C-alpha cells in the first residue's frame, strides 16, 4: 500500500488515509472474491479517498470496476485485453497514422503501457492533479474519453516517440514525463471520437 502515491503523506504507513485505503481494498476483496485485490486497484481507491469518505469510496470503486473495460482488465481476461489493445492500434492508425507506422516498424505492443494506464485510470502515470481533472471529464463523458486520453497522451509525446527506438519508446510510455495539463487537454480536444465509433470498431475485433 505504501507504494501508492509515495509522494503523498496521506497514504504513507502513518498517513491519515492509510488505514482507510487498506479497509476499502479489503472490503472490496471480500465483496468481489472473483477479482479480489489486484495491483493497480489501490490507485483508483486512493483517488476516491482524496475526495470521499471510505464508505462512498468503496461504492465508487465497486461500481467503476463493473464497467466492461475495467472488469476485463481486472479479471485478467486475456482475450478482452488483447481486443482493447487492438482497438488502440486501430485508433492510432486512424488518428495518429505516422505514430501507428512507427509502432509497427519497431514492434511496439500497446499492452506494454496500456494495461497500466487503464488499470489505474492514468492515476499512476500522470500527476494526481492532471489525473483528477481527467477523471472529472471521464465521469461526464464516459468510456470513450479513456481512448481520447490515450490518443491525447500519444499525440503530445509523438514528436519524441517518432525519434525514439523500441527501447526509448517503451521507456517513455511506461514512465511518462510530467505532462502539462492544459497541453494534454488541448490534444485530447483535437481527437474527434464518439462512443458509437469505438463500439463499432470493438465489435469487429
Amino acid at each position: 500500500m505504501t507504494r501508492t502515491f509515495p509522494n503523498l503523506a496521506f497514504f504513507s504507513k502513518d498517513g491519515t488515509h492509510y488505514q482507510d485505503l487498506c479497509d476499502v481494498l479489503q472490503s472490496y476483496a471480500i465483496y468481489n472474491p472473483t477479482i479480489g485485490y489486484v495491483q493497480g486497484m489501490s490507485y483508483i481507491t486512493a483517488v476516491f479517498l482524496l475526495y470521499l469518505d471510505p464508505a462512498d469510496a468503496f461504492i465508487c470503486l465497486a461500481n467503476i470496476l463493473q464497467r466492461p473495460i475495467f472488469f476485463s482488465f481486472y479479471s485478467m481476461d486475456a482475450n478482452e485485453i488483447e481486443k482493447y489493445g487492438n482497438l488502440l492500434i486501430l485508433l492510432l492508425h486512424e488518428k495518429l497514422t505516422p505514430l501507428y507506422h512507427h509502432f509497427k516498424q519497431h514492434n511496439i505492443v500497446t499492452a506494454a503501457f496500456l494495461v497500466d494506464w487503464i488499470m489505474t485510470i492514468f492515476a499512476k502515470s500522470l500527476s494526481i492533479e492532471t489525473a483528477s481533472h481527467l477523471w472529472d471529464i471521464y465521469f461526464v463523458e464516459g468510456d470513450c474519453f479513456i481512448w481520447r486520453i490515450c490518443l491525447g497522451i500519444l499525440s503530445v509525446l509523438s514528436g519524441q516517440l517518432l525519434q525514439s527506438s523500441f527501447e526509448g519508446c517503451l521507456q517513455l510510455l511506461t514512465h511518462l514525463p510530467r505532462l502539462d495539463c492544459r497541453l494534454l487537454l488541448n490534444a485530447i480536444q483535437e481527437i474527434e471520437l464518439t462512443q458509437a465509433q469505438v463500439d463499432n470498431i470493438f465489435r469487429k475485433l
Side-chain angles (χ1 to χ4, degrees):
M1 296 305 130
T2 54
R3 290 181 297 174
T4 305
F5 296 125
N7 295 325
L8 288 181
F10 295 120
F11 302 107
S12 66
K13 194 92 173 182
D14 299 318
T16 55
H17 289 1
Y18 177 79
Q19 192 57 52
D20 290 340
L21 179 61
C22 294
D23 290 345
V24 172
L25 292 170
Q26 288 172 356
S27 297
Y28 183 80
I30 294 169
Y31 166 76
N32 190 352
T34 302
I35 292 180
Y37 170 73
V38 180
Q39 191 173 5
M41 198 180 286
S42 60
Y43 278 88
I44 297 176
T45 307
V47 174
F48 284 136
L49 285 170
L50 290 174
Y51 301 97
L52 303 168
D53 62 44
D56 287 336
F58 169 79
I59 292 170
C60 289
L61 177 68
N63 283 330
I64 201 167
L65 294 188
Q66 286 302 311
R67 299 185 74 91
I69 183 172
F70 301 117
F71 185 82
S72 295
F73 278 83
Y74 274 99
S75 61
M76 304 299 178
D77 187 327
N79 289 332
E80 288 296 295
I81 292 172
E82 183 179 4
K83 286 171 67 175
Y84 282 115
N86 290 334
L87 170 62
L88 181 56
I89 290 171
L90 293 175
L91 290 174
L92 264 178
H93 184 266
E94 181 179 339
K95 304 295 183 180
L96 299 169
T97 307
L99 195 56
Y100 163 82
H101 289 298
H102 187 70
F103 278 17
K104 188 173 182 181
Q105 178 185 351
H106 292 282
N107 297 313
I108 295 170
V109 180
T110 55
F113 58 90
L114 184 63
V115 171
D116 201 47
W117 289 6
I118 299 295
M119 291 185 73
T120 63
I121 320 181
F122 307 96
K124 182 181 176 183
S125 304
L126 300 173
S127 70
I128 186 64
E129 297 83 5
T130 299
S132 296
H133 195 134
L134 295 175
W135 279 37
D136 287 343
I137 304 172
Y138 165 66
F139 288 131
V140 173
E141 296 198 3
D143 291 345
C144 177
F145 192 66
I146 293 289
W147 302 107
R148 291 179 67 203
I149 296 172
C150 290
L151 293 169
I153 292 171
L154 293 169
S155 177
V156 169
L157 296 176
S158 61
Q160 292 172 260
L161 290 168
L162 289 170
Q163 298 299 318
S164 298
S165 63
F166 172 84
E167 293 81 5
C169 286
L170 286 189
Q171 176 65 23
L172 189 59
L173 293 167
T174 56
H175 299 83
L176 294 180
R178 189 176 182 89
L179 300 179
D180 179 82
C181 186
R182 187 177 297 278
L183 182 65
L184 178 55
L185 286 171
N186 287 340
I188 292 170
Q189 191 171 18
E190 292 178 2
I191 304 294
E192 295 183 0
L193 186 67
T194 66
Q195 188 62 51
Q197 289 173 313
V198 170
D199 291 342
N200 185 50
I201 296 171
F202 193 73
R203 277 194 297 268
K204 296 176 181 177
L205 294 173

